[in-house]
Amino acid sequence: MQLSCHKQHYRLCSLATVLLLFLGARLSWAQESPYIVAYDHYLEEPGNLEVEYFSTLGTQRDGDPFHAYWVELEYGAKAWWTTELYLDGQSTFSQSTVFTGFRWENRFRLLQHEHFVNPVLYIEYEQINGADKIIKEVEGHDIESDNEPNALARRTLKHELELKLLLSKTFNGWNFAVNPLTTKSLSPNEPWEFGYAVGASRPLALNASANSCNLCRENFVAGVELYGGLGDTESFGLHQTSHYLAPALAWNLPSGSAVRISPGFGLNSDSHRLLMRWGLSYEFIGFGERISRLWEKRW
Amino acid sequence: MVNKNTVWLLLAAFVLPAGLCLFTIGGASAQGIDPATAHDRFDYAEIAKAPAKARTRNNPQEGKPETVLVGKKLFAQHCAECHGSAAEGGKKAPSLRADEVQQATPGALFWVLTNGVVRRGMPVWSRLPEPQRWAIVSYIKTLNVSPSPQRADNTTQ
């Protein structure tokens, strides 16, 4: 098939091409952990693309509630390297809906085999504005009262580099994950900020049934996350930091999709009282192969 | 007035997932790969790297009536995309019907499944609970039949 795109329709054609590639791919059985903030050491399978949508509904003591959402495109470049693009947005009730920026994340598995603890290096570049509220991680002195009206907040641009060390271990069905993190604004004279996320999870059943089923216990993974800020290089510690405890549940469906839900509860007066999160993901196998075939045809 | 960025965000957030949903109605067929070619493209050295302690582990699921059926289902969900629906091998992964696999101990196969062969593209599968990994090993060990002549004929045409 010969596709010809006029210059002014380039974006539309690009979108159509991507949709065609999705339609030609096959769905894969998703095996998702329930974590929304913490990461375990498992990467995307090579050549597969996972498309995820997440929502966070948050309350604010001195402001309007908000709905922050993001789309993740997660691609397994290698068995040891996963790359991911985020597109973030946010609606604050009685205010406005704004696009708040993008993030580009890369995760690298550092060791070949499974070990007592499995380290993965996480590097992310983010270009977001001050209205971003997805709270995908908490760092430094991020607190609830930082939030300004969207009209003001969106004028503040942030270019940040974020590094995490993802430490994870799966034992007897239990996964334990510990993620220390640091963030550096690329603007001059900004301190390094610190934060953490820890998580534990386990499937509701370790044995699988012989038949494909939606509501089997092995399709559900339950867990809990704890995450928060640890100050910065100028004032390290828990003073004026926010922290959350979030039970989480993932439901992996045989159709290839997964649903995650996680109510996060603020643990101190600097935290949002409630962050209600949910997400939906689909995994497509052979996406990279199809892209490369398209490339071959073109040349 | 809706700004331009919001339009693109909405497109990304809703049009793409909608396209993906449409796909679930459609679907696509798996590619046929010549098992012999697949065998030649890979080596099985990783199996020999399993430590002695791992190699001698017995399969605790062996002999349980449903184990092979469970393994077959899990194989289709997690392994078939690379190894082929009949484990005949593919572009990305070797045949599991090969002698190197069929003659390996269950413990060695379990070790490879758990640790993956990351540098060659096989992910680690320790995310699957142990009973499920053993069930996959049980299923793989039932594949000790060479590809049928009929299939071989089809793939060479």
Side-chain angles (χ1 to χ4, degrees), chain B:
Chain B
M1 171 117 177
V2 180
N3 66 36
K4 206 173 165 186
N5 285 337
T6 307
V7 171
W8 279 106
L9 182 72
L10 291 173
L11 274 176
F14 298 108
V15 176
L16 288 182
L20 306 181
C21 290
L22 278 176
F23 156 72
T24 57
I25 301 163
S29 61
Q31 295 169 37
I33 305 291
D34 184 348
T37 312
H39 182 277
D40 293 343
R41 292 179 66 236
F42 299 95
D43 64 57
Y44 294 84
E46 202 67 20
I47 298 171
K49 290 182 186 169
K53 195 179 167 187
R55 225 177 298 155
T56 53
R57 284 184 75 180
N58 291 321
N59 184 348
Q61 301 291 316
E62 205 169 293
K64 292 184 182 172
E66 283 211 326
T67 298
V68 173
L69 289 174
V70 171
K72 188 177 180 181
K73 181 187 91 168
L74 294 170
F75 183 90
Q77 288 173 346
H78 303 295
C79 317
E81 68 177 80
C82 294
H83 290 282
S85 55
E88 76 278 21
K91 278 186 181 174
K92 287 160 74 177
S95 167
L96 301 179
R97 293 169 173 268
D99 289 345
E100 291 88 338
V101 176
Q102 294 302 322
Q103 287 169 10
T105 63
L109 297 181
F110 182 84
W111 184 84
V112 173
L113 189 54
T114 302
N115 288 280
V117 191
V118 173
R119 73 195 151 75
R120 301 291 296 266
M122 178 176 165
V124 298
W125 284 101
S126 60
R127 168 179 275 171
L128 286 180
E130 277 203 20
Q132 296 187 26
R133 275 176 273 154
W134 281 117
I136 292 173
V137 169
S138 295
Y139 171 67
I140 290 171
K141 295 297 268 181
T142 64
L143 300 171
N144 55 354
V145 184
S146 300
S148 68
Q150 191 185 355
R151 178 174 172 80
D153 289 342
N154 289 340
T155 53
T156 51
Q157 278 171 7

